[in-house]
């Protein structure tokens, strides 16, 4: 049986490019491309064919010299590298996973032809099934996992960039800046608020900072507490803070929460705050 299994592995290795071509031909027959997309795809097609052949090679090697842990690690490495590569190309995950059925079909077609030709035993067939199918399933898992992780990483980077842009300290005059806050302030944004505001205050060498809340629709105890901490932190850096633009509904919420606003310097609008800063210079 071992000799038969090794023979089937060698068949897959010898026919890897043929199988890769069959998979590629049938797979691409389902894909509709514009002329521009077709030209772009032709540039990466050799790389795609290389990935297909290397993938098929892993299954042939698993039959020729099967070491379970080593085969699983090779499959996992292929899944990681290919998942990241196809994500960078912008290929949708559901489209990429359609390849699985084609690999399974043509690898088993090549095996079936040899099994019939050599009249191999049923035990050989079952042993090959027990070897190849789990590896293919593991390849799909590793590929999908890495693709999703790459996607999540990009989302996190985009979110971080968005959060940083959502805390813009804008210099007005030398030593004076304004922080216009817009939208809801959740826990993550509140945490970044302290860090970014203090960093920008140091970078811009501020003595005065106006925090404008006219774009903030809702304030709860968490948001208010974070604002107090920002004011206190800036004070330790020698930066005086003025708050402006508190909406009537936000003011009512603050009163209802029993927040102590006496320590804060609050003005009705940005113009009033800026005039006061200029007067005390």
């Amino acid at each position: 049986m071992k000799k038969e299994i090794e023979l089937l592995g060698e068949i897959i290795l010898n026919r890897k490019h043929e199988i890769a071509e069959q998979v590629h031909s049938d797979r691409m027959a389902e894909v509709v491309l514009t002329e521009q997309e077709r030209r772009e795809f032709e540039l990466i097609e050799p790389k795609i064919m290389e990935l297909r052949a290397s993938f098929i090679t892993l299954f042939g090697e698993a039959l020729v010299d099967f070491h379970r842990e080593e085969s699983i690690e090779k499959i996992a490495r292929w899944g990681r590298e290919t998942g990241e590569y196809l994500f960078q190309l912008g290929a949708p995950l559901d489209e990429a996973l359609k390849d699985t059925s084609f690999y399974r079909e043509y690898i088993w077609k090549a095996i079936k032809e040899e099994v019939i030709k050599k009249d191999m035993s049923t035990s050989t067939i079952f042993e090959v099934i027990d070897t190849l199918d789990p590896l293919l399933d593991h390849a799909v898992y590793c590929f999908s996992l890495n693709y999703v992780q790459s996607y999540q990483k990009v989302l996190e980077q985009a979110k971080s960039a968005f959060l940083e842009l959502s805390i813009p300290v804008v210099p007005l005059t030398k030593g004076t800046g304004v922080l216009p806050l817009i939208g809801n302030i959740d826990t993550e944004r509140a945490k970044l608020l302290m860090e970014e505001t203090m960093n920008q205050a140091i970078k811009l060498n501020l003595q005065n900072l106006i925090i404008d809340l006219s774009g903030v629709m809702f304030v709860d105890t968490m948001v208010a507490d974070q604002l107090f901490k920002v004011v206190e932190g800036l004070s330790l850096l020698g930066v005086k803070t003025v708050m402006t633009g508190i909406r009537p509904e936000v003011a009512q919420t603050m009163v209802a929460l029993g927040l102590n606003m006496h320590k804060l310097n609050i003005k009705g609008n940005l113009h009033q705050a800026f005039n006061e800063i200029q007067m005390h210079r």
Side-chain angles (χ1 to χ4, degrees):
M1 183 176 70
K2 184 179 178 182
K3 290 292 184 182
E4 290 181 337
I5 293 173
E6 290 178 355
L7 176 61
L8 293 176
E10 289 171 358
I11 292 296
I12 293 174
L13 291 175
N14 292 334
R15 296 179 60 181
K16 62 183 179 182
H17 292 295
E18 175 192 338
I19 296 171
E21 287 286 352
Q22 291 172 332
V23 170
H24 189 70
S25 176
D26 276 15
R27 180 67 184 89
M28 294 309 297
E30 296 184 352
V31 181
V32 179
L33 300 175
T34 65
E35 190 60 35
Q36 177 63 28
E37 289 171 336
R38 188 175 301 280
R39 285 196 296 268
E40 292 173 355
F41 182 75
E42 287 174 355
L43 298 176
I44 62 170
E45 197 166 19
K47 175 66 175 178
I48 299 295
M49 293 304 301
E50 179 185 331
L51 289 173
R52 294 194 188 285
S54 65
F55 185 51
I56 295 165
T57 297
L58 296 178
F59 295 95
E61 291 175 346
L63 295 178
V64 171
D65 185 19
F66 182 65
H67 297 288
R68 183 175 178 80
E69 291 184 3
E70 184 178 338
S71 295
I72 289 175
E73 176 52 35
K74 286 181 179 180
I75 286 289
R77 191 184 310 124
W78 182 92
R80 288 193 297 269
E81 293 172 355
T82 309
E84 184 174 353
Y85 176 71
L86 291 184
F87 173 78
Q88 295 298 330
L89 287 181
L93 179 58
D94 60 332
E95 285 295 321
L97 290 177
K98 288 181 180 179
D99 287 16
T100 306
S101 61
F102 290 97
Y103 283 116
R104 197 184 302 270
E105 176 185 350
Y106 284 108
I107 288 174
W108 275 108
K109 184 177 180 181
I111 290 173
K112 181 180 177 181
E113 290 173 359
E114 193 65 20
V115 166
I116 294 174
K117 185 187 300 183
K118 302 293 185 182
D119 192 25
M120 294 183 180
S121 64
T122 304
S123 58
T124 295
I125 298 172
F126 281 119
E127 186 65 27
V128 172
I129 291 174
D130 288 343
T131 300
L132 296 189
D133 279 359
L135 286 179
L136 185 57
D137 292 339
H138 189 62
V140 172
Y141 169 77
C142 292
F143 174 86
S144 302
L145 180 63
N146 190 269
Y147 187 102
V148 171
Q149 287 175 341
S150 298
Y151 182 74
Q152 289 175 333
K153 190 184 300 181
V154 170
L155 281 183
E156 288 298 322
Q157 292 171 347
K159 185 176 181 181
S160 296
F162 171 75
L163 287 172
E164 290 176 8
L165 291 172
S166 72
I167 307 175
V169 177
V170 182
L172 295 176
T173 60
K174 185 177 180 181
T176 300
V178 60
L179 171 59
L181 293 176
I182 301 173
N184 294 330
I185 303 177
D186 57 16
T187 304
E188 190 171 358
R189 189 181 179 197
K191 181 181 178 181
L192 191 64
L193 178 63
M194 167 73 82
E195 182 182 337
E196 282 297 309
T197 302
M198 296 184 72
N199 287 341
Q200 289 298 314
I202 294 172
K203 182 180 178 180
L204 298 172
N205 195 24
L206 298 181
Q207 286 84 50
N208 298 279
L209 178 65
I210 303 169
I211 300 179
D212 184 65
L213 302 175
S214 57
V216 177
M217 305 295 179
F218 175 76
V219 169
D220 59 13
T221 51
M222 184 277 292
V223 174
D225 181 62
Q226 195 63 39
L227 290 173
F228 290 151
K229 288 180 179 178
V230 170
V231 172
E232 290 173 357
L234 290 170
S235 177
L236 293 174
L237 297 178
V239 181
K240 297 177 181 178
T241 307
V242 183
M243 285 193 182
T244 66
I246 298 178
R247 304 167 68 90
E249 57 270 32
V250 172
Q252 291 175 12
T253 302
M254 288 180 166
V255 172
L257 291 172
L259 301 176
N260 183 8
M261 309 296 291
H262 298 299
K263 295 181 180 180
L264 302 178
N265 184 2
I266 300 175
K267 297 298 176 184
N269 54 55
L270 186 61
H271 181 69
Q272 291 177 2
F274 186 68
N275 283 342
E276 180 180 281
I277 292 171
Q278 293 297 99
M279 286 175 58
H280 288 87
R281 283 196 162 190

